[in-house]
């Protein structure tokens, strides 16, 4: 449907949609790495201090 709507905009119109696979893969890898770094940082901080001190900081 999107290709039909944009047919008048492009000359010549596209035959199909192009999916940027490399960009999507890079974005997913970067997001996964950011979540892992944040999780490991939290685990490292929690392991160094007793639970009572962590609760007091909240």
């Amino acid at each position: 449907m999107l290709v039909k709507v944009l047919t008048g905009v492009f000359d010549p119109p596209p035959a199909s949609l192009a999916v940027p696979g490399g960009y999507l893969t890079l974005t997913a890898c970067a997001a996964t790495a950011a979540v892992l770094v944040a999780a490991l940082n939290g685990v490292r901080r929690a392991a160094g201090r007793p639970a009572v001190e962590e609760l007091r900081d909240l």
Side-chain angles (χ1 to χ4, degrees):
M1 182 174 175
L2 183 62
V3 173
K4 286 187 181 252
V5 170
L6 294 176
T7 299
V9 176
F10 296 108
D11 186 32
S16 64
L17 294 176
V19 178
Y23 177 75
L24 293 176
T25 302
L26 181 65
T27 303
C29 289
T32 302
V35 168
L36 283 173
V37 167
L40 291 174
N41 187 28
V43 168
R44 186 181 55 85
R45 284 187 62 200
R49 297 175 66 187
V52 174
E53 287 184 23
E54 287 290 328
L55 289 173
R56 285 184 189 146
D57 285 343
L58 293 177

